[in-house]
Amino acid sequence: MNNELAHEGSAFINFRRYVSDPKEHGFRWVDIRELRFSVQSVHDRGLLAALIGHEQFRDDYAGGGVLPEGPRHGPYWLRLITPDLYEPISQEKAVQILREWVDPLWDVPTELETDLQREVFDRLATADGIYYLSELGDEAIHDWGRVHGYFHEFVLIDRAAGQIALVVAADD
């Protein structure tokens, strides 16, 4: 299945671009990776397994980028991540998690809200399946994995479009 996933593109929203004082929400960002799969592909768990095995998944999100042979994914050891750790959640729950992370008490700049809507919330609205990576616990945190204050990961499956979007929202 891994050979059937093709990386199509990426988007990166760095909150620092939208704020005048980086101490105010300037260390938050959202990274989106789009991968295409064949429409007749297997069930969602098979797609999650293919994503975990794809080189685009091998990113520690700490500035090093994708490392094709890398042992880390975000704050976690890659070897400990399995499809079963992804919990299916509703669009409403995903939006709630993200809105709470963005900060409901902050007056989000219009340009940032527009970019979040286009790159994240519109994708959530069209997804057939939304999966959220559960907290893996201390034993899964890699040697310097605590660089992220928050790490939220969603996998959005859009079967009609034949796309998976890996959405990571984090602070560092």
Side-chain angles (χ1 to χ4, degrees), residues 5 8 33-42 44 47-48 120-131 155-166:
L5 288 181
E8 285 198 314
R33 312 269 168 97
E34 290 181 327
L35 296 105
R36 177 154 306 282
F37 62 90
S38 63
V39 177
Q40 65 272 15
S41 287
V42 297
D44 287 3
L47 290 171
L48 289 168
V120 179
F121 297 111
D122 287 352
R123 292 176 203 274
L124 283 168
T126 61
D128 302 309
I130 301 171
Y131 292 88
V155 176
L156 315 178
I157 299 173
D158 183 341
R159 287 196 176 275
Q163 284 188 331
I164 291 181
L166 172 62

Side-chain angles (χ1 to χ4, degrees), residues 63-96:
V66 173
L67 300 173
E69 301 302 319
R72 296 174 184 88
H73 173 75
Y76 305 115
W77 290 112
L78 178 66
R79 71 181 184 277
L80 299 177
I81 299 175
T82 67
D84 293 335
L85 294 174
Y86 286 87
E87 125 186 39
I89 64 171
S90 68
Q91 176 189 0
E92 294 78 16
K93 181 65 177 173
V95 168
Q96 176 189 354

Side-chain angles (χ1 to χ4, degrees), residues 2-115:
N2 188 24
N3 295 337
E4 295 180 33
L5 288 181
H7 181 240
E8 285 198 314
S10 301
F12 187 77
I13 301 171
N14 188 340
F15 284 32
R16 180 175 289 180
R17 180 174 166 246
Y18 307 91
V19 297
S20 56
D21 181 0
K23 292 178 188 152
E24 294 183 34
H25 311 284
F27 301 104
R28 292 179 185 211
W29 48 265
V30 180
D31 184 277
I32 301 108
R33 312 269 168 97
E34 290 181 327
L35 296 105
R36 177 154 306 282
F37 62 90
S38 63
V39 177
Q40 65 272 15
S41 287
V42 297
H43 53 83
D44 287 3
R45 293 288 170 200
L47 290 171
L48 289 168
L51 177 63
I52 292 166
H54 198 279
E55 77 174 19
Q56 286 295 315
F57 197 77
R58 296 171 182 272
D59 192 332
D60 55 33
Y61 297 100
V66 173
L67 300 173
E69 301 302 319
R72 296 174 184 88
H73 173 75
Y76 305 115
W77 290 112
L78 178 66
R79 71 181 184 277
L80 299 177
I81 299 175
T82 67
D84 293 335
L85 294 174
Y86 286 87
E87 125 186 39
I89 64 171
S90 68
Q91 176 189 0
E92 294 78 16
K93 181 65 177 173
V95 168
Q96 176 189 354
I97 290 167
L98 287 164
R99 288 287 179 200
E100 287 175 2
W101 171 77
V102 168
D103 187 349
L105 303 176
W106 181 41
D107 189 18
V108 179
T110 303
E111 187 181 2
L112 173 57
E113 182 62 39
T114 299
D115 289 348

